[in-house]
Amino acid sequence: MAVAGLALMLNACGNKEKDFDATGVFEATETVVYAEQNGSLTTFDVDEGDRLEQGREVALIDTVQLWLKVAQTEASRKVYQSQKPDMEKQLAATREQLAKARQEQQRYRELVADGAAPRKMLDDADSQVEVLQRQVEALRSSLSVSTNALDRQMEAADVQREQLLDQLAKCHVRTPASGTVIEKYVERGEFVAVGKPLFKMADTDHMFMRAYVTSAQLQHIRVGQKAKVYADYGKGQKREYAGTVTWISSRSEFTPKTILTDDERADLVYALKVAVKNDGYIKMGMYGEVKF
């Protein structure tokens, strides 16, 4: 009987189920902030561990040369503006000549009708009116071409100014999202070029655990499913969190060496992410467990 009881106890221990379905590592969404302009960092208010809110200005790249270019562009626009002809004033003299020529034309028309003047005088008056009309049209066309060309130059100056203002705005480095600075790559006073990484930040408020499950487990898991997540502090110390499955890989991969699944003999597993709200205790790289 004692032997039989011992056998039952060993069998029960051997059949004891794990209190988790998969293990993994806690991660966070990381963002690298890059320089978008060339110049020296006149200010750089970033230190590792800083909590930054979205939209906060943390650095300024030297803006002197860009502001000088803006001033130059605005001066060029004023020059183009001053060169625009006053069409009405420049046409006024020729129009006045045309008005007088038409008066003469009408007078000669009446004299010819009365037989008091030869036909040639009316023909000359008609010709003079026609010449002046063509001069008015030619002058108007010339002034319009000149005005349109200057308008285009002013528009180009406006576009150039907007481009410079956009570059100036990019000199003010702002955080693209809220998060914690985990690495910084430059210091104040350094010269940076476009595309140079300045610092890396992570959204440590919203963490997720990357775990791996077998195909047998996968049939019982879906995106949006609730789960229990445990942060493992070692020596049996754990902290429980409510989690949600937010992503499941569409393809299988070989079991990572650092990951243990429910079936350690499985060669192929599927990665998934379980999102959790961090209360400040979960750290990136920390091991954890998940129960679906």
Side-chain angles (χ1 to χ4, degrees):
M1 292 292 293
V3 174
L6 179 60
L8 289 172
M9 290 177 61
L10 291 174
N11 186 52
C13 292
N15 292 334
K16 183 179 179 181
E17 296 183 357
K18 298 178 181 178
D19 56 359
F20 58 87
D21 295 317
T23 63
V25 176
F26 286 100
E27 300 177 359
T29 301
E30 299 179 5
T31 303
V32 178
V33 179
Y34 296 88
E36 296 185 81
Q37 288 298 315
N38 299 324
S40 60
L41 281 172
T42 56
T43 63
F44 189 54
D45 185 20
V46 171
D47 287 304
E48 293 177 355
D50 285 351
R51 291 269 309 158
L52 304 177
E53 297 299 323
Q54 182 178 4
R56 174 181 167 182
E57 183 175 328
V58 295
L60 177 64
I61 300 173
D62 184 30
T63 61
V64 173
Q65 293 302 316
L66 286 174
W67 275 117
L68 291 175
K69 289 181 180 179
V70 170
Q72 182 181 23
T73 302
E74 291 175 345
S76 297
R77 191 186 192 285
K78 291 179 180 178
V79 171
Y80 299 141
Q81 178 69 42
S82 66
Q83 292 176 346
K84 289 181 65 175
D86 189 331
M87 188 177 295
E88 293 303 318
K89 287 184 178 180
Q90 296 197 31
L91 286 173
T94 306
R95 283 176 173 171
E96 186 175 349
Q97 293 176 6
L98 177 60
K100 289 181 179 180
R102 283 174 174 167
Q103 290 176 357
E104 289 294 314
Q105 180 187 42
Q106 181 62 30
R107 187 168 67 87
Y108 284 124
R109 183 177 289 114
E110 294 173 356
L111 290 174
V112 170
D114 294 338
R119 178 71 189 182
K120 184 179 183 306
M121 296 183 70
L122 178 58
D123 292 341
D124 291 343
D126 290 341
S127 177
Q128 182 66 16
V129 169
E130 185 176 351
V131 169
L132 289 171
Q133 284 179 334
R134 291 179 178 177
Q135 288 181 355
V136 168
E137 292 172 359
L139 182 57
R140 180 185 289 109
S141 176
S142 175
L143 293 173
S144 295
V145 169
S146 178
T147 299
N148 289 337
L150 290 168
D151 285 340
R152 300 293 85 75
Q153 289 177 308
M154 291 172 61
E155 289 175 3
D158 290 338
V159 171
Q160 185 178 7
R161 182 177 182 276
E162 291 301 318
Q163 290 175 333
L164 292 169
L165 292 178
D166 179 66
Q167 294 176 23
L168 280 167
K170 290 177 179 177
C171 288
H172 297 261
V173 181
R174 302 180 185 277
T175 53
S178 299
T180 302
V181 178
I182 56 177
E183 288 185 72
K184 60 182 295 188
Y185 307 114
V186 296
E187 296 292 342
R188 178 180 177 181
E190 288 188 35
F191 183 89
V192 296
V194 174
K196 182 178 179 62
L198 304 179
F199 62 96
K200 181 192 292 185
M201 58 189 304
D203 182 6
T204 53
D205 288 336
H206 303 88
M207 305 281 287
F208 60 88
M209 190 181 74
R210 181 186 292 271
Y212 294 83
V213 296
T214 64
S215 56
Q217 293 174 297
L218 189 61
Q219 63 180 325
H220 304 295
I221 304 172
R222 68 183 187 281
V223 173
Q225 181 174 333
K226 301 300 181 182
K228 291 182 180 180
V229 178
Y230 302 91
D232 190 347
Y233 295 90
K235 297 183 179 180
Q237 300 296 316
K238 297 181 181 180
R239 197 176 186 91
E240 182 180 330
Y241 298 89
T244 304
V245 178
T246 58
W247 172 80
I248 301 175
S249 177
S250 59
R251 64 175 60 184
S252 62
E253 56 186 287
F254 287 103
T255 308
K257 293 182 179 180
T258 57
I259 298 298
L260 295 177
T261 65
D262 189 47
D263 184 359
E264 296 178 2
R265 296 173 298 173
D267 292 325
L268 295 175
V269 292
Y270 293 84
L272 55 79
K273 293 180 181 179
V274 182
V276 297
K277 175 69 174 177
N278 190 8
D279 57 359
Y281 289 97
I282 303 177
K283 306 299 180 184
M284 295 172 62
M286 180 181 291
Y287 285 96
E289 302 166 352
V290 57
K291 181 73 174 178
F292 299 105

